């Protein structure tokens, strides 16, 4: 199980956390990963200067925006899962 946590604190909200959450929901569904990937919201992840803050499981806080959310998903979720299956 992979948990993606998206910050919905005020700084990240202003910078588009709703759009990032919506796009991640679509990507999870489109890739048939609803049984493997869980999406959670969180308040401030302590990285307000680089919104939108996102982390995978207990990993580092990453900066994701509407322009790179698909790239983020492919790099950190799809690739990770394909490596664990091989
Ligand atoms: S409000 Fe998102 S990291 Fe602080």
């Amino acid at each position: 199980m992979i948990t993606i946590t998206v910050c919905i604190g005020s700084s990240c909200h202003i910078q588009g956390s709703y759009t990032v959450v919506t796009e991640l929901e679509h990507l999870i569904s489109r890739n048939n990963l609803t049984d493997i990937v869980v999406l959670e919201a969180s308040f401030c992840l302590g990285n307000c200067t680089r919104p939108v803050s996102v982390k995978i499981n207990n990993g580092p806080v990453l900066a994701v925006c509407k322009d790179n959310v698909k790239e983020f998903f492919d790099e950190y979720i799809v690739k990770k899962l394909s490596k664990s299956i091989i």
Side-chain angles (χ1 to χ4, degrees):
M1 186 68 73
I2 296 173
T3 301
I4 303 175
T5 305
V6 180
C7 178
I8 56 167
S10 47
S11 178
C12 292
H13 174 73
I14 290 167
Q15 293 298 320
S17 59
Y18 177 79
T19 304
V20 170
V21 167
T22 302
E23 186 56 31
L24 286 171
E25 284 174 341
H26 290 148
L27 289 165
I28 292 166
S29 176
R30 224 178 290 145
N31 286 280
N32 297 315
L33 295 174
T34 52
D35 292 342
I36 301 170
V37 180
V38 175
L39 194 56
E40 286 184 349
S42 169
F43 289 110
C44 186
L45 291 174
N47 196 31
C48 308
T49 57
R50 297 186 63 231
V52 171
S53 295
V54 174
K55 68 178 189 174
I56 300 169
N57 296 331
N58 290 319
V61 178
L62 305 167
V64 179
C65 67
K66 66 176 175 49
D67 297 328
N68 71 3
V69 63
K70 180 167 183 343
E71 208 176 309
F72 159 81
F73 191 81
D74 288 343
E75 181 69 28
Y76 289 94
I77 305 299
V78 175
K79 269 191 189 173
K80 181 178 178 166
L81 287 171
S82 64
K83 281 181 189 169
S84 67
I85 291 170
I86 295 172

